[in-house]
Amino acid sequence: MVDIGIELQCDKLIVATGGMAAPKTGSTGLGYPLAEQFGHTIVETKPALTALITEKDLLNKAAGVRTTANIWFENSTREKDGNSNEANKYSETGELQITDYGISGIPVFNISRMATKGTLIHIDFIPDYSINDIVEYWAKTSDYNPKIQLGTVMDGILNTKITAVMLEKACIKYNCLLGELHLDETLNLLKLLKNYQIVVNKPRGFDFAQVTAGGVSTEEVNSLTMESKKQPGLYFAGEILDVDGICGGYNLQFAWATGATAGRNCVE
Ligand SMILES: Cc1cc2nc3c(=O)[nH]c(=O)nc-3n(C[C@H](O)[C@H](O)[C@H](O)COP(=O)(O)OP(=O)(O)OC[C@H]3O[C@@H](n4cnc5c(N)ncnc54)[C@H](O)[C@@H]3O)c2cc1C
């Protein structure tokens, strides 16, 4: 006898109650205690495919900007013997959205499940150009037009709000003449553009997440039938399981595929 708030007698049961993400869409999280009552392990749940709230940063001034960028961070994990560190690098390129609380957009969603408080996010605002490309381009531009201002040139490759943030961070004036920029100032500015660093405070919570990481341990479910290995006749499908994918339809695909598998095997 399992208490799920309603009286139900059945030989077979498919639990497809989803996860905890976006409760406005009906997520209750009630499938987890049900699974636990049948002896299942619930891998810790956390929001995934969500935005990142960052520490207050000058970049917040560029809220509203969407721009192509490469973002990455590294997590170091210490081996059990305490001797060696293995660094995992997570990197995504796509449309970055800058907000007044932090960063969002598909590349951020895709790395959000691995980011935690204190994670140092690196942003490359000009992923298609190397530092050398820009140094050469700026040298030619200032030769051709000695009166051209740095800000005008930067606006040619960046959103104007990003230009403003970078110049403020580098303490360089918008109307500084490109040809009068010292090499160390140029390199400092380009370092900011290629490797802007921002610290995560926390991922946005379940209210804003598209999917739940964690859930019913897949080790306790037969992946060919979706039947529980703990309780014959009990099946699981979809996001309630400890499976989550990056953006691209993988979560819906998983829900449909496991739902169809569970349904077919239920009636056999
Ligand atoms: C805003 C948003 C955008 C998304 N975009 C994408 C996308 O582009 N691509 C992609 O692959 N995935 C996307 N997802 C994720 C995807 O929608 C889910 O992973 C997928 O719908 C999970 O399917 P599911 O059937 O397991 O759970 P759900 O779709 O959550 O369905 C679970 C159902 O169970 C019901 N339920 C819960 N508790 C109970 C209870 N106690 N009794 C009865 N019923 C209950 C719920 O009301 C709900 O109807 C998105 C999610 C959100 C929130």
Side-chain angles (χ1 to χ4, degrees), residues 34-35 47 49 82 111 132 141 181 216 229 239 241:
L34 191 155
L49 297 189
I111 63 167
N132 276 350
T141 306
L181 203 62
V216 174
K229 291 180 185 171
E239 205 179 304
L241 287 152

Side-chain angles (χ1 to χ4, degrees), residues 16-19 22 25-28 30 209-211 237-240 249-252 255:
T17 45
T25 63
S27 304
T28 61
L30 284 178
Q210 289 193 359
V211 79
E239 205 179 304
I240 187 169
Y250 304 104
N251 295 294
L252 284 169

Side-chain angles (χ1 to χ4, degrees), residues 12 14 224-227 235 259-268:
K12 308 244 173 143
I14 302 176
L224 297 177
T225 61
M226 301 319 293
E227 189 174 18
Y235 294 76
T261 304
R264 264 198 298 271
N265 282 281
C266 226
V267 293
E268 266 171 14

Side-chain angles (χ1 to χ4, degrees), residues 9-261:
Q9 278 195 354
C10 55
D11 296 328
K12 308 244 173 143
L13 177 69
I14 302 176
V15 183
T17 45
M20 315 258 287
K24 273 188 195 158
T25 63
S27 304
T28 61
L30 284 178
Y32 303 128
L34 191 155
E36 275 176 326
Q37 287 177 67
F38 283 109
H40 278 279
T41 310
I42 307 299
V43 176
E44 187 191 355
T45 55
K46 56 182 182 175
L49 297 189
T50 192
L52 294 174
I53 300 171
T54 57
E55 300 293 347
K56 210 148 184 52
D57 192 278
L58 265 185
L59 196 59
N60 301 139
K61 286 190 176 181
V65 169
R66 290 165 179 248
T67 182
T68 300
N70 171 240
I71 60 170
W72 77 95
F73 72 89
E74 283 183 349
N75 261 358
S76 290
T77 50
R78 191 169 281 279
E79 297 285 313
K80 276 196 185 125
D81 61 12
N83 289 332
S84 51
N85 269 328
E86 193 187 324
N88 296 313
K89 185 172 176 182
Y90 304 98
S91 170
E92 286 281 328
T93 300
E95 190 181 67
L96 175 72
Q97 291 178 33
I98 296 162
T99 70
D100 55 1
Y101 60 78
I103 48 175
S104 184
I106 288 176
V108 176
F109 286 178
N110 283 347
I111 63 167
S112 61
R113 74 192 299 289
M114 282 78 70
T116 53
K117 187 172 176 61
T119 297
L120 185 66
I121 303 279
H122 305 259
I123 306 174
D124 180 352
F125 286 103
I126 43 171
D128 294 334
Y129 304 102
S130 69
I131 288 187
N132 276 350
D133 289 340
I134 302 285
V135 169
E136 278 175 26
Y137 168 62
W138 285 2
K140 278 186 195 158
T141 306
S142 62
D143 281 351
Y144 179 73
N145 183 354
K147 295 267 180 246
I148 199 158
Q149 296 177 350
L150 171 65
T152 313
V153 176
M154 287 178 70
D155 284 345
I157 52 169
L158 295 164
N159 180 287
T160 53
K161 283 189 177 178
I162 305 284
T163 298
V165 168
M166 297 301 145
L167 288 175
E168 187 174 345
K169 188 105 176 169
C171 303
I172 303 174
K173 290 208 163 65
Y174 182 95
N175 58 5
C176 156
L177 293 187
L178 183 62
E180 289 179 358
L181 203 62
H182 296 293
L183 183 61
D184 56 341
E185 288 176 311
T186 305
L187 293 176
N188 184 32
L189 191 54
L190 291 176
K191 218 171 111 193
L192 285 176
L193 284 175
K194 291 293 292 174
N195 187 4
Y196 193 89
Q197 298 180 11
I198 189 163
V199 178
V200 173
N201 186 348
K202 59 180 176 187
R204 265 191 136 189
F206 281 116
D207 283 353
F208 302 93
Q210 289 193 359
V211 79
T212 305
V216 174
S217 168
T218 52
E219 287 177 15
E220 299 164 354
V221 176
N222 180 339
S223 61
L224 297 177
T225 61
M226 301 319 293
E227 189 174 18
S228 162
K229 291 180 185 171
K230 302 265 179 189
Q231 173 66 51
L234 180 67
Y235 294 76
F236 294 100
E239 205 179 304
I240 187 169
L241 287 152
D242 175 26
V243 173
D244 61 286
I246 57 171
C247 296
Y250 304 104
N251 295 294
L252 284 169
Q253 170 62 29
F254 180 74
W256 296 327
T258 50
T261 304

